[in-house]
Amino acid sequence: MGTPRHHHPLRRRAGQLLGVAALAPAVLLTAQAGPARAFGTVSAFGQHAEHEAITRAALACAPGTRSDGTCFEPRSLDQLAGHKGTFGAVGAPDTDEIVVPAAHCDNADFLATPGYPRDRADATRQLLACITKLQTRFTEGITAAGGTVAADGKVVPGENDLTKDCTFTLGIGGRDKCEAIEGLGRALHGVQDFYSHSNWTDKAADGPLGKDNPPGLDRPAPSPLLTLGTGRPPAASAVPADLTTGCFSLLPLGCARHVQHAGLNKDTGVIDPATGATSGPTTPRGKVAGNFDRAVHAAVADTRRQWADFRAALTARYGKGRAETIGCALTHDAPARDCAPKS
């Protein structure tokens, strides 16, 4: 990756870098070889690169067609979604934020039963912390995107070069297109995980409700809670009373009395990257009442919504003409050729 011309907030501080670098081998091994705790990022260990498939189903241009701004051409999509041997921007949190609950919307668990170890207010605070983090990532992407196009409105070739894959981990600086895609991708990861890790689209299994069978909200997507482009978290009152995500802990009994990630997630199964069609869910909750399919289709729908909102945020920040050129640069594989300035 080339050296950045200027600093973006997406890049972590040097002190954080050292800490992450020291932790990275163990974390990456956990992400790849341990039980899935998010839609999958690799095609192994029971995962089927679910994040990649969702992102491709949502944002890939039709084969052989140029982008109209709503979709990503193949090489640019490879950076966002990942491809064989890479995590892509959407998978980046599973390389260096695997134990950061807010990156995956974990630990906002709640059950309306006496003595539950987390009250509604605390669960809501945990959820809003996730949404705030995703909004920060989204905004970082908007900020970085400005460097893809010069002040005169022309594409900056070096900042959009995809001869080599982008690097999206360990705070390594890079080309502005890469950094813009990273901000968007990290935001999309959490958005997609929200549907897998929560009961937003779920139906509960038959039988008594409880921590091992929490209620399902059976709500449509996109969720109004995830309007990242506003830069403001939703009001606590907007969070449904029975909304829960799963408790995740590396300690064996850390979530023993909670609604657990292992029991609530819909992380793994087969997703057609062209259509989003699903089959073969493998988690207990995912096998119930089409829950995996609903979570995936919700994630696809919200991924499209987030990209539309990202483009709207570009316009709000940079003005219509420059924003259209920036959007073109992010989605096209040859932006220096294809993206003339907009007046």
Side-chain angles (χ1 to χ4, degrees), residues 122-141:
D122 185 47
T124 295
R125 282 192 293 271
Q126 295 290 331
L127 180 67
L128 296 184
C130 169
I131 295 169
T132 297
K133 185 175 184 65
L134 303 186
Q135 288 173 329
T136 297
R137 293 303 195 188
F138 186 98
T139 300
E140 288 170 348

Side-chain angles (χ1 to χ4, degrees), residues 138 142 229-230 308-324 326:
F138 186 98
I142 296 295
T230 66
D309 286 356
F310 195 91
R311 293 165 64 204
L314 289 174
T315 299
R317 173 78 71 91
Y318 300 109
K320 185 175 185 294
R322 189 172 179 212
E324 288 182 1
I326 292 170

